[in-house]
Structures are given as C-alpha cells and as structure tokens.
Amino acid sequence: RLATKQIGAGNLDEPIHVSSSDEIGELCRDFEEMRIRLRSMLEERIKYEEDTREMMSSISHDLKTPLTTIKGYSEGLIDGVANTPEKREKYLRTIIAKTVDMTYLVDELSIFSKIEQNALPYNFVTLNIDEYFSDSLDDLTLELEAQNIDIKYINHTAKGTNIIADPEQLKRVINNIVG
C-alpha cells in the first residue's frame, strides 16, 4: 500500500513487493509492471530532453563559427585590411561560403522534427576522399589563416580511394573537430 501511494506521488524508484497470489497480489503485480513502464518512459523522456539540449547547443555553436568569420572578414573589408583586389575577393568569397554554411544550419533546424523521430535524412554519395578533404582544407585554410593558424592535410590512403558518406554531415564533423 505504501508503494502504491509513492507511485501516485510520482516516486517510481520503489518496487512493489508481491507475496500473495490472490486478486490483490495480481493487482499489485499490475501496479509493479505499470511502475516499471512509467519509469522507463520517464528515463527515455529525460534522455530525449538531454539529447535535444545537446543538439541545440551544437547547432548554436555551429552558427557562431560562421557568424564570427563573417563579422571578422566584414570588419577587415571596412578597416582596409583587404587592401588588394585579390584579398578583397578572397574575403568576399569567404563571407559567401560562411553564409552558405549558415543557410545549411538554418535548414538543419527546420528538419528538427525528423531528428526527434530519429529519421534524420542523409544524402549518401560516393566521394573521392583525397578530393573531398583537399577541398575541405581549402575552405578551412582561409578561415584559420585569419587566426594565424596553419593546418596541414596528409592523405595516407591509396590514390583514388572513395568513400560513401553524406558530404554535408561529414563537413559538419570536420568543422567541429577543427573548431
């Protein structure tokens, strides 16, 4: 009786011990099964909320990176740091690239409901690993150069090695690692 009151009060940690096999015992076993299911559902909900917070934090972080880059390169244009046509073009191309990255992230927010349903859409394609990472390095070099950071890419795979991956999700992973 004490355990059923605790369940009613929201305490799902205390098991109901059943010693009889009559109707009351059967009712108590049903309550115990209900307690176990409720506790499991509560744990799943807590995990879901933690995952949601983590994902929102990740997206927030992912948005801050291109925003910081856009701000820095824009200030560089205004302050005259980009004092040659080539450098101005490089700055503008970086701003455009980061705007594209932000557009992707905003689109990612719009598919949040699919993430909730564990149905995140992937676009798997065959990629040449050396070409993909060389292009990624080119994108990162511009951003890191502004922070006086050198980055090197060494490919230890055989020439022509292909992988099957989602290029956008892989890009996100690379950016997170470098970030």
Side-chain angles (χ1 to χ4, degrees):
R1 186 175 173 162
L2 179 63
T4 57
K5 283 188 177 188
Q6 288 184 7
I7 290 172
N11 180 0
L12 302 174
D13 295 330
E14 196 65 40
I16 299 172
H17 301 287
V18 182
S19 58
S20 69
S21 58
D22 60 5
E23 290 178 3
I24 300 296
E26 188 176 324
L27 180 64
C28 288
R29 277 188 289 283
D30 289 343
F31 266 108
E32 175 61 6
E33 288 176 21
M34 180 183 69
R35 180 195 70 81
I36 291 168
R37 283 194 307 271
L38 285 171
R39 184 174 178 187
S40 175
M41 289 169 56
L42 181 62
E43 288 170 353
E44 286 176 23
R45 181 67 183 179
I46 290 169
K47 174 76 170 111
Y48 165 78
E49 289 173 1
E50 288 171 358
D51 290 347
T52 299
R53 279 191 296 275
E54 184 178 320
M55 186 197 70
M56 295 305 282
S57 175
S58 175
I59 290 172
S60 175
H61 172 267
D62 289 351
L63 281 169
K64 285 178 185 177
T65 302
L67 279 171
T68 301
T69 302
I70 290 169
K71 181 178 182 270
Y73 276 80
S74 298
E75 288 171 349
L77 286 168
I78 290 169
D79 295 343
V81 173
N83 52 10
T84 65
E86 294 82 17
K87 206 167 191 179
R88 280 190 292 276
E89 182 177 341
K90 180 179 164 183
Y91 275 43
L92 290 171
R93 288 193 183 281
T94 300
I95 290 168
I96 290 168
K98 295 305 161 187
T99 304
V100 168
D101 291 347
M102 287 180 55
T103 301
Y104 169 76
L105 291 170
V106 170
D107 290 343
E108 193 173 274
L109 280 173
S110 71
I111 60 169
F112 180 70
S113 64
K114 290 183 181 181
I115 293 170
E116 287 180 292
Q117 298 167 10
N118 202 19
L120 179 65
Y122 289 97
N123 181 26
F124 290 103
V125 296
T126 301
L127 303 169
N128 177 283
I129 196 163
D130 190 44
E131 289 174 13
Y132 184 84
F133 281 102
S134 292
D135 290 344
S136 295
L137 180 68
D138 290 343
D139 292 344
L140 289 169
T141 300
L142 295 173
E143 186 177 322
L144 296 174
E145 188 178 84
Q147 301 172 33
N148 293 322
I149 297 173
D150 290 327
I151 187 170
K152 293 182 183 177
Y153 161 64
I154 301 169
N155 181 9
H156 292 285
T157 64
K159 189 169 181 73
T161 299
N162 291 328
I163 60 170
I164 297 174
D166 180 325
E168 292 299 323
Q169 295 300 329
L170 187 55
K171 181 178 184 176
R172 185 170 180 219
V173 169
I174 293 166
N175 288 337
N176 283 340
I177 291 170
V178 172

